[in-house]
Amino acid sequence: MTRQKVVAITACPTGIAHTFMAANKIAAWGEENNVIVKVETQGSDGVKNKLSRQDIASADAVILAIDVPIQDAERFDNVPHLKIRTQELIKNTDRYLRQALAMDKTVTAACEEQEEARSAWQTFIGHIMAAISYMLPVVVLGGLLMAVAKITGQFIPIAGTPFEVLDKLGFMVIKFMYPVFAMYLAFSIAGKPALIPGLIGGIMSDEVYKRFFDLDGFMPSGFFGAIAIGFFVGHLVQWLNNTINVRAQLTTIKTMLIVPLCTGITLVIVMQYLINPFFGAINQAMVEFFTSAGDTGRGFYAMMIAAGTAFDLGGPINKAAGSVALGLTASAKPSI
């Protein structure tokens, strides 16, 4: 009897945990059920065990257990496949593997994906997770550079040495975590046309904007502002692309001039007069509260950060809390 064959791709926002957990679940299921399995992982270390077109064509079932856009997705054009989230596959491996094997294999034209219906909350979290996955390397690298410099400074003077440069450079890198977050949040929603508008919005939500324009009394909208402008820009670009219809010859003008110009003007107005004032006021109130509370306030804040990192291990709250904790090193001027 010919053994059945299943091929799959797994990819989660960070490319660390769920990507490989899902791959291991599929591999273990294959061994238990005498099914040939080949799983391509698109994780933080790149693409591993890549599926060829021959692998895909010869498979009895194709599964895309993904939470983010994947590389070379065109390989699956006109190929019947089951698309689900990594977390769902991990929880119900047997159910989804059998469902994929039971799918109609006679379809050779465009195939409508059998995808789990996603709620608005799941979609929201998916975009947030994708953006955080791009922001984390910025925070981690900046924090590591500063850590190396400060640890070295405990043993030798580092003023005027390359370690002083590392300290200041790490501080500067961390300042870009909100712009990078907003940029890739918008990208997750609307693709490449939303990248630079998202970056601009993220810059306006951060202290970089305050310092560049020397805005006295300005309180950046911070992480909340980056979330708000990322979603706003992403959906605005998506709406403009779907609404503005031009002849094929003018598509380049639309994508390179009309959409960016409309998005840029709109996002600046929204950030300047709506998002920054609103979330900036919230941030100011939080700063004043914790400052006035003294050591008690700092202790309470530390407890909130700790609770956030333990709340949903590997989830958006966990990653956001961890990023905030690392980002606190950039809340004051670097000292040598």
Side-chain angles (χ1 to χ4, degrees):
M1 180 179 178
T2 304
R3 296 172 63 190
Q4 292 180 301
K5 179 180 179 180
V6 174
V7 297
I9 291 183
T10 60
C12 68
T14 58
I16 298 174
H18 286 76
T19 296
F20 301 102
M21 290 170 64
N24 291 336
K25 280 281 191 176
I26 296 172
W29 185 91
E31 291 183 5
E32 293 174 1
N33 294 273
N34 196 32
V35 174
I36 300 172
V37 169
K38 183 175 181 180
V39 183
E40 173 184 320
T41 57
Q42 295 193 9
S44 58
D45 59 346
V47 177
K48 301 296 182 182
N49 203 30
K50 187 170 184 177
L51 299 177
S52 66
R53 292 188 180 274
Q54 183 177 358
D55 290 327
I56 298 169
S58 62
D60 295 291
V62 178
I63 297 177
L64 302 183
I66 59 176
D67 304 314
V68 292
I70 57 173
Q71 298 182 34
D72 301 325
E74 65 276 4
R75 288 175 291 172
F76 302 96
D77 290 346
N78 301 327
V79 176
H81 59 271
L82 179 66
K83 183 179 178 182
I84 54 175
R85 297 168 61 227
T86 54
Q87 189 174 19
E88 292 299 319
L89 179 72
I90 293 169
K91 291 180 179 178
N92 302 287
T93 308
D94 184 71
R95 169 189 167 188
Y96 289 117
L97 266 293
R98 294 190 184 281
Q99 180 180 338
L101 286 169
M103 287 177 60
D104 183 8
K105 308 301 186 301
T106 62
V107 180
T108 55
C111 172
E112 183 177 354
E113 298 173 352
Q114 294 188 20
E115 182 177 5
E116 288 291 296
R118 301 184 69 186
S119 66
W121 172 250
Q122 289 174 327
T123 302
F124 173 82
I125 291 300
H127 292 312
I128 293 289
M129 292 287 286
I132 288 177
S133 71
Y134 287 102
M135 180 184 74
L136 279 178
V138 177
V139 180
V140 171
L141 178 58
L144 288 174
L145 293 178
M146 294 181 68
V148 169
K150 293 186 182 300
I151 291 173
T152 304
Q154 298 297 314
F155 301 97
I156 61 173
I158 64 173
T161 70
F163 290 103
E164 180 182 7
V165 177
L166 282 182
D167 190 36
K168 294 181 178 179
L169 184 61
F171 175 80
M172 183 185 72
V173 169
I174 288 179
K175 284 297 181 183
F176 282 93
M177 66 178 183
Y178 294 153
V180 169
F181 174 84
M183 176 171 67
Y184 281 103
L185 177 56
F187 170 76
S188 176
I189 298 169
K192 291 182 180 179
L195 272 173
I196 301 305
L199 175 64
I200 295 172
I203 290 174
M204 292 185 69
S205 73
D206 194 71
E207 196 172 340
V208 174
Y209 178 67
K210 173 184 177 179
R211 294 189 178 188
F212 186 84
F213 288 97
D214 195 22
L215 302 174
D216 292 331
F218 172 79
M219 173 58 72
S221 53
F223 191 56
F224 296 122
I227 292 175
I229 196 60
F231 274 105
F232 177 80
V233 166
H235 288 294
L236 176 61
V237 170
Q238 192 176 60
W239 179 78
L240 288 172
N241 277 327
N242 294 335
T243 303
I244 301 175
N245 297 312
V246 297
R247 290 182 297 176
Q249 299 91 324
L250 301 177
T251 301
T252 301
I253 296 177
K254 168 189 168 181
T255 56
M256 297 296 292
L257 180 62
I258 299 175
V259 172
L261 180 61
C262 294
T263 305
I265 294 174
T266 306
L267 81 86
V268 168
I269 294 173
V270 170
M271 280 298 295
Q272 187 70 22
Y273 298 105
L274 182 62
I275 293 178
N276 270 339
F278 179 74
F279 289 109
I282 293 177
N283 286 341
Q284 183 65 47
M286 292 174 62
V287 169
E288 291 176 355
F289 170 76
F290 289 117
T291 301
S292 62
D295 291 339
T296 302
R298 286 191 289 271
F300 179 70
Y301 192 56
M303 290 173 60
M304 290 176 60
I305 294 293
T309 57
F311 178 75
D312 59 341
L313 298 179
I317 297 177
N318 165 268
K319 290 181 174 61
S323 299
V324 170
L326 289 171
L328 287 175
T329 58
S331 61
K333 293 182 180 180
S335 57
I336 306 302

